[in-house]
Amino acid sequence: MDKEKIAYHVRGILEALGEDPEREGLRDTPQRVARMYEEVFEGISYTNHQIAEMFGKTFSSDDGDDTHTAVVMKDITVFSFCEHHMALMYDMTVNVAYIPCGKVLGLSKIARICDMAAKRLQLQERLGKDIAEIISEATGSPHVGVLIKGSHSCMTARGIRNASAQTVTKTFMGDFRNDPQLKALVD
């Protein structure tokens, strides 16, 4: 990530807004924004495959026939930025469920996968697909469900300004596509 270039352009944006980038409160803003972007857009540097490898620490599933067991983690908090307006997507919660196929993922890794996938310019629909794809690769399971609920500042703070609007997306892979009981696990 080119932080110098980001700082240069943020300074230009401040000037285009009619602000004085040399005034006390803004003097270091371009560099602060560049450091923030490096953090909040960290996921741009990695493919889904690389994230699956990075957070793919699994453990052998001992139960022999684990097809009747589902791992479900709910209310994982993330935020992201919409790629259309670079506006904050906030108050986002992610529910993830998968059926182990011989191995289980470390629980903290599920939350880390969601967090890293969200650290990109993103669409909520793609974020659900990315999380499902990464979880599937990391666990070796084709059976994954992801539900995301979130607010988008491009809806709440501008345009229609509907503060209570919430977007819900659901992504289902494998057995989650056609099994209502499995789908219910992510709700």
Side-chain angles (χ1 to χ4, degrees):
M1 193 167 298
D2 189 339
K3 290 193 299 187
E4 285 183 30
K5 199 171 199 179
I6 293 169
Y8 172 82
H9 288 289
V10 168
R11 180 182 175 85
I13 290 169
L14 291 171
E15 290 170 349
L17 290 171
E19 280 286 357
D20 174 11
E22 290 303 319
R23 79 171 167 84
E24 180 63 30
L26 294 177
R27 193 169 298 125
D28 296 324
T29 295
Q31 292 77 22
R32 281 193 296 268
V33 171
R35 287 191 304 272
M36 179 190 76
Y37 277 10
E38 182 178 48
E39 180 181 335
V40 301
F41 295 128
E42 180 183 7
I44 291 172
S45 300
Y46 303 103
T47 66
N48 286 353
H49 174 70
Q50 289 169 322
I51 295 171
E53 286 183 334
M54 194 180 331
F55 300 119
K57 175 67 175 164
T58 59
F59 303 93
S60 178
S61 179
D62 299 300
D63 22 340
D65 179 19
D66 54 10
T67 57
H68 300 307
T69 300
V71 176
V72 181
M73 183 173 283
K74 293 188 173 188
D75 298 326
I76 301 164
T77 58
V78 299
F79 67 89
S80 193
F81 290 84
C82 111
E83 66 184 35
H84 295 146
H85 299 97
M86 292 183 71
L88 185 63
M89 300 186 323
Y90 61 99
D91 288 341
M92 296 180 84
T93 58
V94 181
N95 296 349
V96 175
Y98 72 95
I99 299 173
C101 292
K103 55 185 181 177
V104 293
L105 193 60
L107 292 177
S108 70
K109 304 307 185 225
I110 296 171
R112 291 180 189 281
I113 286 168
C114 294
D115 181 64
M116 187 62 77
K119 289 181 174 181
R120 301 169 168 166
L121 290 173
Q122 198 56 282
L123 298 174
Q124 186 170 318
E125 306 91 287
R126 185 181 320 115
L127 178 57
K129 181 181 170 289
D130 287 347
I131 291 169
E133 186 177 287
I134 295 165
I135 295 287
S136 178
E137 181 177 339
T139 62
S141 174
H143 314 293
V144 181
V146 177
L147 175 133
I148 303 175
K149 292 180 183 177
S151 298
H152 297 236
S153 59
C154 54
M155 279 284 298
T156 62
R158 60 157 302 277
I160 189 74
R161 290 188 188 99
N162 191 320
S164 62
Q166 209 178 38
T167 301
V168 179
T169 56
K170 298 177 182 184
T171 305
F172 299 117
M173 298 173 60
D175 288 350
F176 279 85
R177 286 185 179 164
N178 300 314
D179 187 329
Q181 289 180 314
L182 287 177
K183 285 180 179 183
L185 290 175
V186 296
D187 280 331

